[in-house]
Amino acid sequence: MIIRHATEEDIRHLVPLMLEYIVDFYKRPNPGEHKVAQLVKQLLDHPDYGVQFLADDGAEIIGFATVYFTFSTLQVKRAAIFNDLYVRPSGRGKKIGESLFLHCLDYVRKHSFAGMQWETAKDNFIAQSLYKKMGGHISEWLVYEIE
């Protein structure tokens, strides 16, 4: 198993995996293959927006993680938002999610970001357990949203 940056050659394999994450795991409307491919391509074309890492077992891509970049005014540095972590059911229980998370964290630290933040669903206890194991803690900040 290797963790590596996504490339243009990965788009055709990454898009179905991302749709599985969006539609099957999070039960969100299907945005369509074209829109997901555009998102991946935009990250590849503009690496200052963010980065995607893949878990590749040599036969297929079985997981991915996405980190988007923003800024922290309070720390006067770039900051990272760990937005996605997904491993296919067939790859779960093999520490692939842990490896993807640690790879993202290592990337953030090597590039001297202010830190890495993320959120997860209140009922995603498996993810919460992983994040606590990795040293994450619940922020003192509240998350608000408007759709």
Side-chain angles (χ1 to χ4, degrees):
M1 173 67 53
I2 61 165
I3 307 297
R4 61 177 178 79
H5 278 86
T7 66
E8 283 216 33
E9 293 77 35
D10 295 315
I11 293 175
R12 65 186 177 102
H13 300 289
L14 182 54
V15 168
L17 185 63
M18 291 177 70
L19 285 170
E20 186 178 308
Y21 168 72
I22 295 165
V23 177
D24 298 338
F25 187 78
Y26 274 108
K27 309 296 184 212
R28 299 294 172 114
N30 188 329
E33 289 182 12
H34 182 71
K35 281 190 175 183
V36 175
Q38 282 181 316
L39 173 62
V40 175
K41 182 93 168 84
Q42 191 158 34
L43 288 173
L44 292 170
D45 290 346
H46 302 279
D48 54 318
Y49 291 3
V51 64
Q52 284 189 301
F53 296 106
L54 308 178
D56 186 339
D57 71 359
E60 67 176 335
I61 297 168
I62 56 173
F64 75 97
T66 312
V67 179
Y68 292 102
F69 307 138
T70 187
F71 294 90
S72 169
T73 304
L74 297 179
Q75 296 184 48
V76 194
K77 284 182 160 185
R78 287 178 50 159
I81 298 172
F82 179 66
N83 204 70
D84 307 307
L85 175 62
Y86 182 71
V87 176
R88 282 204 159 118
S90 63
R92 294 183 190 157
K94 301 174 183 175
K95 300 193 181 285
I96 296 167
E98 187 175 317
S99 294
L100 281 162
F101 180 92
L102 290 172
H103 198 86
C104 292
L105 184 59
D106 185 56
Y107 181 91
V108 166
R109 288 179 171 160
K110 281 183 179 174
H111 289 86
S112 300
F113 282 76
M116 187 170 81
Q117 296 179 337
W118 65 93
E119 56 188 47
T120 191
K122 291 178 184 179
D123 64 348
N124 192 343
F125 302 112
I126 293 171
Q128 291 171 36
S129 176
L130 170 66
Y131 299 145
K132 286 176 188 170
K133 178 181 176 183
M134 297 293 99
H137 62 277
I138 296 174
S139 173
E140 61 189 60
W141 297 90
L142 299 175
V143 176
Y144 287 81
E145 68 182 10
I146 295 177
E147 292 191 25

